[in-house]
Amino acid sequence: MSVDVLQYVGSKRKVRVQRRTPCDPLLNGYLLGSSKSLLLMHVFHDFMPDGYLVFRLEDVEEIRSGPYERHWDEMLEAEGLLDGLDLPVKVDLTTFRAAIESISERFRYFMIQSEDPDEPVQDTYVGSFVSATPDSVAFRIFDGRGYWDEEPVEIDVAEITKVHFDAPYINTFSRHLRSGPRPVSLTERSLGSVQ
């Protein structure tokens, strides 16, 4: 790889990473860890800390850490927003499977994403880790209304491009999950009566 990403790992210097994926190609934040294949970033959206993201090193196309990022370092520090750089959890970045298993030891809820390399489309799963095989992860997910699926989904480890955890979206949503069966909507009822 021609882009020297590793010099920024643990440097406490903000970076802007451009990934060669059409979906969410720009990431802003601080690189906290790395392996031969994965990177761990404390992500920021403008002035808002947005949790932690594990993503593939091979997807990094370009990295910038210059005068703009130094000014952001100063602003974020002055605002007291850099406490998250001291992540109290060790994330195993050997493989995505190892990362998911180590994240699940501390965080019950997180997000797994599989991005299409040619289209701005991604499969997003938010939920809880169930189990893993060498090639797949069983993940129990909940929907946009806060209801759990009855059965876990099997996610092919080779298709995972990002794992997001300890983010405000995930943490807030997980506090408002519902129990019991998912109610049938009026649309589903009317479709059922037609069949």
Side-chain angles (χ1 to χ4, degrees), residues 116-186:
D116 188 311
D118 302 315
E119 299 179 32
V121 175
Q122 64 185 353
D123 294 325
T124 299
Y125 309 94
V126 185
S128 290
F129 172 75
V130 176
S131 63
T133 69
D135 300 321
S136 68
V137 172
F139 203 61
R140 188 155 180 243
I141 62 173
F142 52 84
D143 67 15
R145 297 184 294 167
Y147 289 102
W148 288 98
D149 279 5
E150 289 183 23
E151 298 294 324
V153 295
E154 294 289 328
I155 305 169
D156 186 344
V157 172
E159 294 180 1
I160 297 172
T161 56
K162 293 190 296 189
V163 177
H164 201 172
F165 65 98
D166 199 22
Y169 175 89
I170 300 164
N171 296 341
T172 301
F173 216 125
S174 66
R175 288 193 295 271
H176 300 278
L177 296 176
R178 303 171 189 267
S179 59
R182 179 183 289 121
V184 177
S185 70
L186 291 175

Side-chain angles (χ1 to χ4, degrees), residues 33-45:
S34 66
S35 69
K36 291 181 180 178
S37 59
L38 299 175
L39 293 164
L40 171 63
M41 175 183 270
H42 182 31
V43 185
F44 277 80
H45 284 272

